[in-house]
Amino acid sequence: STHFWDMAAESGEIYRIFVSAPAGGEPPRGGYPVLYVLDGNAYFGSFAQARWVQEYLPVGKAIVVGVGYPGDKAWDVRRMNDYTAALRDPPPPETRAYAKYRSGARQQFLDFMTGKLRAEIAQRYRVNLERQSLFGHSFGGLFALYALYERPQAFHSIVAASPSMEWNAQSILDDERAFSARMTAGKIGSSSRLLLIAGDRDTAGDPESVRLLTDRLERLSGWGLRVRLRRYADETHASVPAQSVNDVLRFAFEQR
């Protein structure tokens, strides 16, 4: 079954929430695992369809939550504010055209994702709070990395597809370095699993930078972080999400 509603975050921002859940039967022991899909207007339909047709297979006994915005557009300019850090000052040359838009609310959005929204989903459905996953693409992939670095215990599984790591003069690398330092110093632990996805024909993002990120984060396996890389030889930036749906569902919902 599919439902949607609009809800306000503490910040006052309004989000459109889409949910695809099994229509009946008993939930798995411990409750349904949940996958949160960013840019829900654009991508929820693909994930919901795949979950629905696989409902009687192990991957299907789960819930997909799309997080989007009111309106009929696939993407909303507000995603830049929700998914990114504040632009450097002065803004890097490649971002100057975007300086007129708001940015820098990623912490408030992460608060909403892990707080009010998660509580609302748990109130409406019998969910497993230990098996909460996150998928983001492009700016959403950048946010997925930030969520890992900022709150490594918040999601059981995280998928960052074609993350826009070059954005804002690669400011996400500052977050990565701080995360790695905290982890290797024993100040934080992580039970998170990270799947990085890249399209080899992506000209909007650098697939090589995703491969190098995989190598760097794999060095943290001794502190509990588990990392996988999935590359699609024929996919571009825009085509990666559709290609990735089944891989993402398996990664999010497999019992590992």
Side-chain angles (χ1 to χ4, degrees), residues 65-163:
V65 178
V67 184
Y69 303 91
D72 298 326
K73 294 180 180 177
W75 291 273
D76 190 293
V77 71
R78 283 182 291 166
R79 68 197 288 272
M80 180 174 151
N81 192 39
D82 287 333
Y83 299 168
T84 69
L87 288 179
R88 295 190 190 273
D89 188 17
E94 71 278 8
T95 66
R96 281 178 193 151
Y98 299 91
K100 61 185 176 183
Y101 301 116
R102 289 188 301 153
S103 63
R106 60 183 187 169
Q107 183 174 336
Q108 294 96 303
F109 183 67
L110 183 57
D111 288 342
F112 170 69
M113 290 286 297
T114 59
K116 189 173 182 180
L117 176 59
R118 185 173 292 187
E120 180 70 21
I121 298 299
Q123 188 174 344
R124 292 175 180 243
Y125 303 93
R126 195 171 140 203
V127 302
N128 186 337
L129 292 173
E130 301 299 315
R131 297 185 63 205
Q132 307 273 305
S133 302
L134 175 67
F135 168 84
H137 171 256
S138 195
F139 270 176
L142 198 63
F143 176 84
L145 291 177
Y146 165 71
L148 171 67
Y149 300 153
E150 180 68 17
R151 292 185 201 159
Q153 305 287 359
F155 292 97
H156 170 258
S157 303
I158 292 175
V159 182
S162 308

Side-chain angles (χ1 to χ4, degrees), residues 181-233:
R182 285 190 297 150
M183 183 165 274
T184 54
K187 294 179 181 176
I188 55 171
S190 177
S191 55
S192 291
R193 306 157 67 245
L194 175 67
L195 173 62
L196 291 163
I197 296 177
D200 287 348
R201 295 175 58 197
D202 187 343
T203 56
D206 178 16
E208 180 65 8
S209 69
V210 178
R211 185 189 69 77
L212 292 171
L213 174 64
T214 306
D215 290 345
R216 292 194 303 273
L217 293 181
E218 279 181 337
R219 296 171 197 156
L220 301 176
S221 62
W223 288 269
L225 182 66
R226 288 166 288 168
V227 185
R228 292 186 203 171
L229 172 63
R230 188 78 167 85
R231 295 176 68 158
Y232 300 125

Side-chain angles (χ1 to χ4, degrees), residues 6-40:
D6 292 349
M7 68 180 291
E10 290 86 344
S11 63
E13 293 286 343
I14 306 296
Y15 297 98
R16 181 152 294 170
I17 308 303
F18 309 83
V19 177
S20 172
E26 275 296 303
R29 204 161 86 187
Y32 293 111
V34 182
L35 171 66
Y36 291 88
V37 175
L38 300 180
D39 289 311

